[in-house]
Amino acid sequence: MLSQIITCKYQFGLPLYRQETMLSDIGIELSRQTMSSWILRCATLLEPLYMRLKAILLAEPAIHADETPLKVIKAEKATSYMWVYCCGADALGSNTNIVLFDYHNSRKAQCAIDFLDGYQGYMHVDGYKAYESTQATLVACLAHIRRKFIDVKKLQGKKKTGKVDIVLNLIGKLYGIEKRIKGKSVEEKLAIRQSQAKPIVTTLYNWLIEHKEKIPPKSKLGEAISYSLNQFEKFQRYLEDGRLSIDNNRAERAVKPFVIGRKAWLFSYTNTGANASAILYSLVETAKANNLLVHDYIATCLQQIAEKPNNIDALLPWNIKHS
């Protein structure tokens, strides 16, 4: 029953008041207040597993990060944020695949600093400056750079060609290389990026520098060029290591289920509830990323952690798979 309630809310975005109605329709009287209390207690029970996953995540050489707004009724500030940190690939079958959410009533850099706890590996991010205050080596996102130029292209019109098409063509070639090297070893990726992608990255950089002074800075194209140059040093780091990604789409896709669910349940009532949601969303999305049935995984975790609270490692998704 507990797993069913958690799965309905956090995997399928079904608010507790709707679950209350559905249960009532089949003759089960269970109030949303009771379900909410159960969810809070389940999150507390599962927190040690969340913390174990966090320790494993922060031992990874490269991670991804993003954040999205969240409304919490009884919070000090009007807008809170759910931060997401993940590793691995969202393609099924990766060895270590973790998605963790972290709630804060703030978007300050200290939120990321506290979560990362001195992490000094690579971290894929967008252009949000708060991440620069961490000790991670930041890797900027080519998808964010591309979006700036796509916005320019939309203003230009599909049938017209211009300067922006040169940039989009170069970016397209870089993504083409990434498509071709998908599934290759880390060493092969590095070698191909150095031989094939690096010259294109250099051409792109030279084009941006050449046109920086020629294009009005407040025009859409000027803004796209400025943004790209500000991010370029961090972006081209992906050429250094075959374990790195060309963009931060991993984190953007990881946070999407939360964003979709938020449209259904709209807000959290308290900070405690939002923290519970962070823990439960983390376990749901990590289970999905490891190709586990969410309902079965949550049920197993609740049962096992209640009976054997010191055997947390047995509940890691990749250990569940092989048990």
Side-chain angles (χ1 to χ4, degrees), residues 234-252:
K234 295 191 287 289
F235 153 64
Q236 63 184 0
R237 283 176 181 153
Y238 93 99
L239 298 170
E240 299 174 2
D241 194 319
R243 297 170 297 181
L244 301 180
S245 301
I246 195 171
D247 56 35
N248 195 32
N249 287 351
R250 170 72 177 106
E252 293 204 348

Side-chain angles (χ1 to χ4, degrees), residues 9 27 62 106 113 127 165 168-169 213 231 263 312:
K9 180 169 182 181
S106 170
I113 292 170
D165 295 282
L168 291 174
N169 182 52
E213 304 301 328
Q231 297 296 308
K263 291 179 180 178
I312 297 296

Side-chain angles (χ1 to χ4, degrees), residues 178-204:
E178 292 304 300
K179 188 175 182 180
R180 292 195 296 275
I181 65 176
K182 190 174 182 179
K184 293 187 180 294
S185 69
V186 168
E187 294 75 18
E188 287 175 310
K189 286 181 179 180
L190 176 61
I192 294 171
R193 282 173 177 171
Q194 286 291 314
S195 63
Q196 298 181 25
K198 191 172 182 178
I200 298 172
V201 170
T202 300
T203 300
L204 176 58

Side-chain angles (χ1 to χ4, degrees), residues 10-11 17 73 89 91 108 128 135 216 250 270 295 301 311:
Y10 296 106
Q11 183 177 12
Y17 76 89
I73 300 298
K108 290 182 179 178
Y128 184 41
Q135 295 180 46
R250 170 72 177 106
T270 65
H295 180 279
C301 289
N311 195 16

Side-chain angles (χ1 to χ4, degrees), residues 288-300:
K288 287 166 59 180
N290 286 277
N291 201 25
L292 296 175
L293 289 174
V294 174
H295 180 279
D296 291 353
Y297 179 64
I298 298 296
T300 299

Side-chain angles (χ1 to χ4, degrees), residues 149 208 212 217 221-231:
F149 290 98
L208 293 169
K212 181 183 177 184
L221 181 55
E223 289 174 359
I225 291 171
S226 295
Y227 177 87
S228 302
L229 288 172
N230 287 337
Q231 297 296 308

